């Protein structure tokens, strides 16, 4: 397994981690339509959960739960979507996405066709919480 690989999108993230450990990192994704969208990214190139040891599976699941709790606390969404969909990138990673009745895709998945535009002022208010979210995530891992 390799920790960093040239050309790998998740090895060469532009977004700074709000928390980084030996085995995984947590980022708040810069997504204009989904402020508070986070990812937990396993550092090594591992494609499937079953490739991890039991201890590592438990570790990363606990990390996803901690991020979900921080998103719920700070962003106050109607629902949280948690997904692990990486079909191309050779990293296990989880998407933790706050969902609201007024978001562009609700109630469909965020990858579906948009059905509305969220009011810019509402998105701006949610974006304003992202620094607080990063701090809440970091607290959960300290």
């Amino acid at each position: 397994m390799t920790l960093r690989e040239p050309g790998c999108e998740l090895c060469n993230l532009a977004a700074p981690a709000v928390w980084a450990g030996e085995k995984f990192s947590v980022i708040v994704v810069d997504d204009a339509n989904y402020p508070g969208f986070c990812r937990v990214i396993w550092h090594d190139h591992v494609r499937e959960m079953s490739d991890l040891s039991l201890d590592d599976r438990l570790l990363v699941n606990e990390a996803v739960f901690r991020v979900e709790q921080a998103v719920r606390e700070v962003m106050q969404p109607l629902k949280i979507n948690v997904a692990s969909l990486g079909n191309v990138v050779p990293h296990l990673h989880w998407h933790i996405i706050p969902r609201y009745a007024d978001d562009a895709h609700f109630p469909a998945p965020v990858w579906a066709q948009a059905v509305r535009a969220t009011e810019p002022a509402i998105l701006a208010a949610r974006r304003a919480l992202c620094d607080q979210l990063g701090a809440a995530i970091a607290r959960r891992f300290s």
Side-chain angles (χ1 to χ4, degrees), residues 10-139:
L10 292 181
C11 281
N12 301 299
L13 279 174
V18 294
W19 186 87
E22 178 186 334
K23 296 188 176 198
F24 65 90
S25 296
V26 180
I27 65 166
V28 177
V29 177
D30 183 14
D31 187 309
N33 291 315
Y34 288 93
F37 182 157
C38 297
R39 281 195 191 108
V40 174
I41 303 166
W42 195 256
H43 290 166
D44 288 338
H45 284 218
V46 175
R47 288 190 183 276
E48 308 300 341
M49 283 287 288
S50 57
D51 292 334
L52 295 176
S53 69
L54 175 59
D55 287 344
D56 284 346
R57 288 191 301 255
L58 294 173
L59 176 73
V60 77
N61 272 302
E62 180 61 25
V64 170
F65 299 146
R66 288 180 189 189
V67 173
E68 178 185 305
Q69 289 171 328
V71 171
R72 289 180 71 191
E73 172 192 316
V74 174
M75 303 304 295
Q76 298 291 304
L78 176 65
K79 182 73 176 94
I80 301 257
N81 289 170
V82 175
S84 178
L85 303 170
N87 292 326
V88 177
V89 180
H91 281 277
L92 288 174
H93 64 283
W94 290 259
H95 305 267
I96 299 97
I97 308 165
R99 300 299 307 276
Y100 304 89
D102 64 354
D103 77 41
H105 301 89
F106 195 84
V110 298
W111 295 280
Q113 181 71 31
V115 294
R116 73 186 62 77
T118 306
E119 291 293 325
I122 291 172
L123 288 172
R126 290 177 185 155
R127 273 193 296 278
L129 296 172
C130 286
D131 285 343
Q132 185 180 341
L133 175 59
I137 291 168
R139 275 194 312 276

